[in-house]
């Protein structure tokens, strides 16, 4: 099998690109708002530190060890474990709603050129009309998002994925830090800071706990083979544990920066932080329109940054399944990309329908729209579960002497990581899963 390799920086940027996505700029602020701020952020930071980073290192190690798609990698560890590699398909499930949201962003870029809503009710109406009535428009933008993503996946590791990230990631950081500097000059910056970093424990529930842990997997792109697949395409000379730390650092930094920007603007213009998934689509446009000329400019920059973050993550959600199909069934990259893309594109249409006023009820199960089912089953169930599998495989199945690469990279820290991967990470996640199923009460 001829393996295409990232350059060292290409690998770092692509992995940051995978981690930094809609999870950081769209989801992190709205779930933080919903669960009341500080305490939620603290739990999220603790999980990133004690569980997320350990599993990130483990996934990178597995990728470097297997040097192939997730299924082949698990097979190399032990042939009976190849089924675990099917976690590569979690990415396609995520793409069924992720691509729809990228489509919303495209729609908003387009509609904000024509003007921004001037009141919350107007903005709410626009968002509700988009998701409730405009099935065709959403399908059109979901299709556009799909075509862009597939174009870069079809380009392969070097000419597609690395190239995309080399341009978009630095641009994204410049835009976000530019907007952060601007928010810093506003009086409500302090209030936003307090909201994010002062823990109000009374607002915390066990549900918030699970969401925080689930989100730490989602945001670091864990538990679906993206990191395994990217790390399979890197030279052995790259220090993977150091890269894992860099990736986790930037991922967390960007989530916090996005949170600071969004809450500063919200508080400045007297909006509620608990607006749910519509936060960046309802509250933000109104705020930007109240700012006048600079607002239009900021709105466009913000949406473009959001789209860039989404696209660089999306390619990593599709690549694992594509690589698997290429390796297993001998398909060309082009055919594999079209096939995997069509699957999530098609199912994505039902996610769109599940929010619509006319078909929503039909495409809802147990009172939940399909869109939400795809979202919560991945981030609260499939990703953490796959994370436990990765922890157990690296912590118990792979022999200690095979871990030499990372033990020499990490030096003394290795034993702490090894304890974390064998005990802390799996036990913490299993506890939360049991709680999720109501077997134990946290
Ligand atoms: N980490 C991405 C985000 O925060 C989402 C993602 C999850 C990407 C899993 C790849 C794998 O938006």
């Amino acid at each position: 099998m001829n393996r295409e390799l990232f350059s060292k920086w290409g690998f770092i940027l692509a992995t940051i690109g995978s981690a930094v996505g809609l999870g950081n700029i769209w989801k992190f602020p709205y779930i933080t708002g919903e669960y009341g701020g500080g305490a939620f952020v603290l739990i999220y930071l603790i999980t990133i530190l004690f569980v997320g980073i350990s599993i990130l290192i483990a996934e990178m190690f597995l990728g470097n060890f297997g040097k192939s798609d997730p299924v082949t990698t698990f097979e190399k560890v032990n042939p009976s474990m190849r089924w675990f590699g099917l976690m590569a398909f979690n990415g396609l499930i995520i793409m069924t709603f992720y691509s729809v949201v990228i489509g919303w962003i495209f729609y908003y870029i387009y509609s904000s050129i024509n003007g921004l809503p001037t009141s919350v009710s107007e903005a709410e109406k626009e968002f509700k009309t988009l998701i409730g009535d405009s099935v065709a428009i959403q399908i059109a933008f979901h299709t556009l998002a799909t075509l862009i993503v597939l174009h870069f996946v079809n380009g392969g590791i070097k000419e597609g994925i690395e190239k995309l990230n080399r341009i978009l990631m630095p641009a994204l950081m410049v835009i976000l830090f530019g907007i952060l500097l601007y928010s810093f000059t506003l009086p409500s910056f302090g209030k936003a800071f307090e909201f994010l970093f002062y823990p109000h424990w009374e607002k915390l529930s066990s549900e918030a706990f699970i969401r925080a842990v689930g989100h730490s997997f989602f945001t670091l792109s864990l538990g679906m083979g993206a990191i395994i697949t990217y790390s399979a395409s890197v030279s052995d000379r790259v220090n993977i544990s150091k890269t894992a730390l860099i990736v986790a650092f930037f991922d967390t930094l960007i989530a916090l920066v996005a949170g600071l920007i969004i809450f500063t603007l919200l508080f400045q213009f007297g909006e509620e932080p608990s607006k749910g998934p519509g936060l960046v689509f309802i509250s933000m446009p109104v705020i930007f329109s109240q700012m006048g000329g600079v607002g239009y400019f900021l709105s466009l920059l913000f949406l473009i940054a959001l789209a860039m973050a989404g696209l660089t993550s999306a390619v990593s959600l599709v690549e694992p399944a594509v690589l698997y199909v290429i390796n297993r069934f001998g398909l060309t990259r082009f055919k594999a990309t079209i096939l995997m893309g069509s699957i999530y594109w098609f199912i994505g249409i039902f996610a769109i329908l599940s929010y619509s006023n006319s078909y929503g009820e039909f495409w809802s199960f147990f009172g939940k729209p399909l869109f939400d089912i795809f979202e919560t089953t991945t981030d609260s169930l499939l990703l953490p579960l796959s994370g436990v599998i990765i922890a157990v495989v690296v912590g118990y199945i792979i022999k200690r002497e095979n871990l030499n690469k990372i033990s020499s990279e990490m030096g003394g820290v290795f034993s702490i990581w090894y304890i974390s991967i064998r005990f802390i990470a799996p036990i913490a996640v299993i506890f939360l899963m049991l709680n999720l199923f109501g077997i134990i009460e946290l």
Side-chain angles (χ1 to χ4, degrees):
M1 246 172 258
N2 75 21
R3 224 162 37 98
E4 236 190 317
L5 292 189
F6 282 117
S7 72
K8 178 180 161 208
W9 276 100
F11 172 63
I12 296 177
L13 282 175
T15 315
I16 296 178
S18 168
V20 173
L22 302 180
N24 303 60
I25 309 179
W26 166 65
K27 207 163 163 189
F28 172 74
Y30 90 68
I31 42 180
T32 300
E34 280 181 333
Y35 292 115
F40 179 84
V41 175
L42 194 64
I43 296 197
Y44 160 79
L45 291 177
I46 292 174
T47 345
I48 295 273
L49 202 61
F50 291 101
V51 182
I53 293 180
S54 311
I55 298 187
L56 183 61
I57 295 176
E59 258 205 71
M60 282 198 180
F61 168 79
L62 260 184
N64 187 264
F65 174 82
K67 299 199 172 16
S68 190
D69 61 89
V71 178
T72 314
T73 295
F74 279 101
E75 194 171 49
K76 240 175 230 173
V77 176
N78 184 324
S80 65
M81 289 185 178
R82 66 173 180 280
W83 303 110
F84 291 152
L86 294 179
M87 66 175 68
F89 287 90
N90 290 347
L92 295 191
I93 308 179
I94 295 176
M95 275 308 277
T96 60
F97 68 88
Y98 209 84
S99 171
V100 174
V101 180
I102 299 178
W104 294 348
I105 299 166
F106 286 163
Y107 168 82
Y108 269 86
I109 292 179
Y110 160 79
S111 88
S112 68
I113 293 174
N114 295 326
L116 295 169
T118 48
S119 66
V120 174
S121 59
E122 204 183 309
E124 243 161 23
K125 201 169 138 233
E126 184 177 357
F127 187 63
K128 283 197 182 133
T129 310
L130 174 69
I131 65 170
D133 299 322
S134 318
V135 170
I137 294 183
Q138 285 186 87
I139 294 180
F141 283 103
H142 163 54
T143 309
L144 177 65
T146 303
L147 290 176
I148 298 177
V149 169
L150 297 189
H151 169 76
F152 286 98
V153 172
N154 182 47
I157 289 289
K158 192 113 195 119
E159 287 306 306
I161 297 177
E162 175 162 337
K163 228 181 207 168
L164 177 77
N165 280 285
R166 268 182 185 270
I167 299 168
L168 296 196
M169 286 322 286
L172 169 71
M173 303 221 188
V174 170
I175 295 179
L176 280 184
F177 281 94
I179 308 183
L180 178 70
L181 276 183
Y182 173 77
S183 346
F184 192 64
T185 63
L186 297 172
S188 46
F189 186 83
K191 195 169 165 205
F193 195 86
E194 195 201 301
F195 180 74
L196 280 178
F197 297 109
Y198 183 82
H200 291 279
W201 291 111
E202 67 284 358
K203 289 190 185 152
L204 206 65
S205 57
S206 67
E207 190 193 320
F209 222 90
I210 293 176
R211 289 293 291 225
V213 176
H215 185 65
S216 68
F217 278 85
F218 186 83
T219 192
L220 289 177
S221 303
L222 300 175
M224 48 86 36
I227 302 294
I228 295 181
T229 308
Y230 276 9
S231 317
S233 297
V234 72
S235 129
D236 284 336
R237 286 187 311 255
V238 171
N239 183 323
I240 47 182
S241 10
K242 204 160 103 196
T243 310
L245 285 184
I246 297 174
V247 171
F249 173 78
F250 275 101
D251 186 66
T252 311
L253 182 71
I254 291 197
L256 296 176
V257 166
L260 279 171
I261 292 174
I262 289 175
F263 291 118
T264 302
L265 296 178
L266 280 179
F267 294 141
Q268 188 68 31
F269 294 92
E271 285 290 323
E272 284 299 306
S274 54
K275 272 278 156 61
L279 185 70
V280 302
F281 298 110
I282 296 171
S283 312
M284 298 305 282
V286 183
I287 289 168
F288 286 130
S289 88
Q290 286 172 3
M291 293 160 103
V294 66
Y296 276 92
F297 182 64
L298 283 182
S299 157
L300 212 56
L301 277 184
F302 180 78
L303 287 168
I304 290 173
L306 201 56
M308 297 198 292
L311 290 173
T312 52
S313 295
V315 291
S316 77
L317 285 159
V318 181
E319 174 66 15
V322 166
L323 189 65
Y324 163 69
V325 176
I326 295 175
N327 289 347
R328 282 290 146 146
F329 304 102
L331 261 64
T332 60
R333 179 166 274 273
F334 181 73
K335 281 191 184 148
T337 306
I338 298 286
L339 185 67
M340 296 299 107
S342 316
I343 294 176
Y344 83 72
W345 175 83
F346 185 67
I347 302 175
I349 292 177
F350 300 100
I352 292 177
L353 290 175
S354 76
Y355 271 174
S356 88
N357 295 330
S358 326
Y359 313 99
E361 228 161 285
F362 190 74
W363 293 106
S364 295
F365 301 91
F366 313 107
K368 273 193 155 198
L370 215 50
F371 185 109
D372 296 13
I373 295 178
F374 291 148
E375 191 191 338
T376 42
T377 41
T378 43
D379 91 350
S380 302
L381 188 69
L382 291 174
L383 301 189
L385 205 62
S386 311
V388 176
I389 292 174
I390 289 162
V392 171
V393 166
V394 176
Y396 294 92
I397 313 287
I398 290 185
K399 291 201 187 67
R400 169 69 184 79
E401 59 266 27
N402 286 329
L403 299 174
N404 280 343
K405 172 170 168 59
I406 39 178
S407 69
S408 61
E409 278 175 14
M410 283 195 259
V413 188
F414 177 82
S415 50
I416 301 176
W417 170 79
Y418 206 43
I419 292 174
S420 167
I421 208 69
R422 285 167 71 96
F423 304 105
I424 303 174
I427 292 173
V429 179
I430 288 170
F431 250 95
L432 284 160
M433 300 260 107
L434 292 177
N435 179 73
L436 183 68
F437 289 112
I439 299 169
I440 55 163
E441 197 67 46
L442 276 185

